[in-house]
Amino acid sequence: MEAAKKIKALRAQTGMTRKDFASHIGIPLRTVEDWEAGRRRPPEYIPRLIEYQLKYEELIEQGEKIIAACGNDCSACPRYHKEPYKKTDDELRHTAEIWFQIGYRDHIVRNEEIACTGCKEDNWCRYRIVKCVNEKQIDHCGQCNQYPCDHIEECFEVTKLFEPSCKKVCTREEYRIMKKAFFEKRQNLDRYANREL
């Protein structure tokens, strides 16, 4: 399906007017109008990104976040490559480019390196969080009776350091996704920690 038809179909699924849809996805109304009318062509990844956002919002409404060991929301993560969140090769490549531009990586890595299927014991984790949750047989730090420990506090602090470069490099929509995926980890874990008290 061509991009213009795909965007129009996605908007139709939401039942929103063009104005409401444009505001919702953070893209100027004139741009959405031009895309739908075929006067301009969006980058190929935009319809998929919008579709991803709408799926994510639907899952959030249903309360189905996938919380990583450190509190990242895998269901929002542009690296998460597990059904039903599998990414295309182009999406993974774009994510690898963003990771390099933000400073998460010192070069553009291959798709196999950027793709993530969740926290596993053999995953590298600079904060030792994955190893810790596995040793304690819990899913994430929010379930730990020592939360918040020094390791997760360090993780929160380092994550904050990347937010300004993320805002600078990403489009508004990309940043919104990155924020949900990475910059709300404390809130995600606090929610679980407080629920289980």
Side-chain angles (χ1 to χ4, degrees), residues 3-20:
K5 288 181 182 174
K6 180 69 173 176
I7 290 172
K8 196 171 191 172
L10 288 168
R11 182 176 63 80
Q13 285 176 357
T14 68
M16 293 182 194
T17 64
R18 279 191 189 109
K19 182 179 179 182
D20 290 342

Side-chain angles (χ1 to χ4, degrees), residues 35-171:
W35 286 346
E36 286 191 7
R39 291 187 293 266
R40 290 176 55 193
R41 184 172 170 81
E44 285 186 31
Y45 66 89
I46 291 289
R48 178 86 170 139
L49 199 58
I50 293 169
E51 183 176 25
Y52 181 70
Q53 173 187 345
L54 296 175
K55 280 183 188 174
Y56 172 76
E57 290 168 350
E58 184 180 319
L59 287 173
I60 292 302
E61 287 175 17
Q62 298 168 1
E64 294 184 29
K65 282 187 176 187
I66 301 170
I67 303 302
C70 67
N72 286 346
D73 181 355
C74 299
S75 64
C77 179
R79 296 182 57 205
Y80 194 59
H81 193 59
K82 202 170 181 181
E83 291 295 343
Y85 306 98
K86 282 204 174 228
K87 310 300 185 288
T88 66
D89 286 343
D90 288 343
E91 289 169 323
L92 289 171
R93 178 72 180 168
H94 183 69
T95 299
E97 291 167 358
I98 289 174
W99 254 237
F100 170 67
Q101 293 169 353
I102 291 171
Y104 285 154
R105 299 288 189 276
D106 62 1
H107 65 284
I108 298 173
V109 298
R110 295 175 301 132
N111 285 358
E112 295 79 26
E113 293 176 67
I114 201 73
C116 176
T117 57
C119 297
K120 302 200 176 26
E121 195 159 351
D122 59 339
N123 288 7
W124 178 80
C125 174
R126 79 172 39 114
Y127 312 104
R128 300 186 62 246
I129 292 170
V130 174
K131 182 176 184 197
C132 182
V133 298
N134 283 326
E135 287 172 356
K136 294 179 179 183
Q137 298 180 345
I138 57 177
D139 295 320
H140 53 73
C141 293
Q143 297 170 327
C144 181
N145 60 7
Q146 297 172 349
Y147 173 80
C149 69
D150 291 342
H151 295 291
I152 194 64
E153 287 291 354
E154 179 186 4
C155 179
F156 293 152
E157 290 305 311
V158 172
T159 299
K160 276 192 232 174
L161 297 176
F162 285 101
E163 194 166 10
S165 60
C166 185
K167 283 182 181 177
K168 183 178 177 183
V169 167
C170 294
T171 65

